[in-house]
């Protein structure tokens, strides 16, 4: 399920999270992979109880774990969130905010890495909204509240900046003090 086939044909797990996910499916879901989506939070806690947590100092290892986490989310139809990732790694969600806003660990890559994670989560939301056949009000609210997105009202076609609205010949003539379109002006003689 969550393995890759090596050159010699042997299936291997490229991450402990994938191995534990398959174990969870076998033990808790009786092998029914279709149930993972509706039990995803339980899966995250199952994984959290069985992995060795990266040290907060090791942002590279945390980043690798976030990558594996987002792949699990994609595989099982879930949107990744920093909240769920914080449950997985046992780091308070507010710590991620502190790193992102530069209140803590200024001299390390923690802040830029959390910003990248937030952008990835936001990207999943944008992709979901863009590819949905129906508007999901809850997801729209999440996009605004969690990812600082905003709505912009569409500009009606009659109010497009720089667009010249069509006018009748009479309106043009009246605006510029010309003769009306029904009265033809006298044209000067043009030499042959």
């Amino acid at each position: 399920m969550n393995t890759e086939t090596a050159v010699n044909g042997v299936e291997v797990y490229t991450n402990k999270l994938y191995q534990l996910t398959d174990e969870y499916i076998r033990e808790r879901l009786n092998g029914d992979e279709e149930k993972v989506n509706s039990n995803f939070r339980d899966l995250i806690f199952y994984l959290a109880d069985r992995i060795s947590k990266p040290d907060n100092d090791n942002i590279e290892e945390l980043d690798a774990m976030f990558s594996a986490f987002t792949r699990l989310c994609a595989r099982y139809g879930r949107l990744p969130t920093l909240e769920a990732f914080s449950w997985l790694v046992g780091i308070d969600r507010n710590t991620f905010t502190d790193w992102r806003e530069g209140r803590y660990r200024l001299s390390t890559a923690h802040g830029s890495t959390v910003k990248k994670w937030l952008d990835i989560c936001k990207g999943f939301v944008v992709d979901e909204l863009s590819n949905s056949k129906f508007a999901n009000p809850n997801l729209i609210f999440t996009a605004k509240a969690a990812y600082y997105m905003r709505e912009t009202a569409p500009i009606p076609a009659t109010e497009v900046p720089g667009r010249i609205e069509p006018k009748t010949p009479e309106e043009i003539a009246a605006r510029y003090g010309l003769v009306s379109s029904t009265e033809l002006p006298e044209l000067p003689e043009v030499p042959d």
Side-chain angles (χ1 to χ4, degrees):
M1 288 192 244
N2 287 301
T3 59
E4 292 186 22
T5 305
V7 178
N8 62 2
V10 175
E11 289 190 21
V12 295
Y13 289 101
T14 57
N15 192 291
K16 182 76 172 173
L17 291 179
Y18 305 149
Q19 178 184 0
L20 291 170
T21 298
D22 282 350
E23 180 182 298
Y24 173 84
I25 293 167
R26 278 191 312 276
E27 293 178 8
R28 297 270 176 100
L29 303 179
N30 299 317
D32 189 353
E33 191 175 19
E34 297 296 317
K35 292 182 180 177
V36 173
N37 184 295
S38 60
N39 292 280
F40 197 75
R41 286 183 200 97
D42 187 49
L43 168 64
I44 293 299
F45 291 121
Y46 180 91
L47 297 172
D49 292 342
R50 287 159 179 79
I51 61 170
S52 57
K53 308 283 189 299
D55 188 288
N56 288 16
D57 292 334
N58 193 341
I59 194 62
E60 292 83 13
E61 194 173 333
L62 285 166
D63 192 36
M65 189 168 285
F66 184 81
S67 179
F69 164 74
T70 56
R71 289 179 183 278
L72 282 177
C73 290
R75 166 166 258 163
Y76 295 110
R78 297 297 294 228
L79 298 175
T81 64
L82 290 183
E83 283 74 19
F85 184 62
S86 74
W87 303 332
L88 177 65
V89 295
I91 298 174
D92 187 278
R93 172 66 176 87
N94 292 319
T95 301
F96 294 150
T97 301
D98 289 343
W99 293 351
R100 187 189 80 230
E101 293 180 1
R103 290 192 287 251
Y104 186 56
R105 297 190 185 270
L106 273 93
S107 62
T108 66
H110 285 68
S112 60
T113 303
V114 171
K115 287 177 187 174
K116 179 183 83 170
W117 296 343
L118 194 62
D119 284 344
I120 290 169
C121 294
K122 177 182 173 182
F124 271 78
V125 169
V126 169
D127 184 66
E128 185 74 18
L129 287 168
S130 298
N131 290 299
S132 178
K133 292 181 181 179
F134 304 102
N136 179 336
N138 292 330
L139 195 53
I140 292 169
F141 176 78
T142 299
K144 291 177 182 180
Y147 303 115
Y148 315 108
M149 298 171 73
R150 61 184 173 86
E151 287 182 67
T152 57
I155 300 171
T158 59
E159 298 178 22
V160 175
R163 179 176 174 193
I164 300 173
E165 296 302 316
K167 305 269 188 237
T168 65
E170 290 78 16
E171 290 173 323
I172 295 170
R175 180 172 183 182
Y176 295 102
L178 303 173
V179 293
S180 75
S181 64
T182 56
E183 300 173 20
L184 294 175
E186 196 170 310
L187 299 174
E189 288 290 322
V190 179
D192 288 326

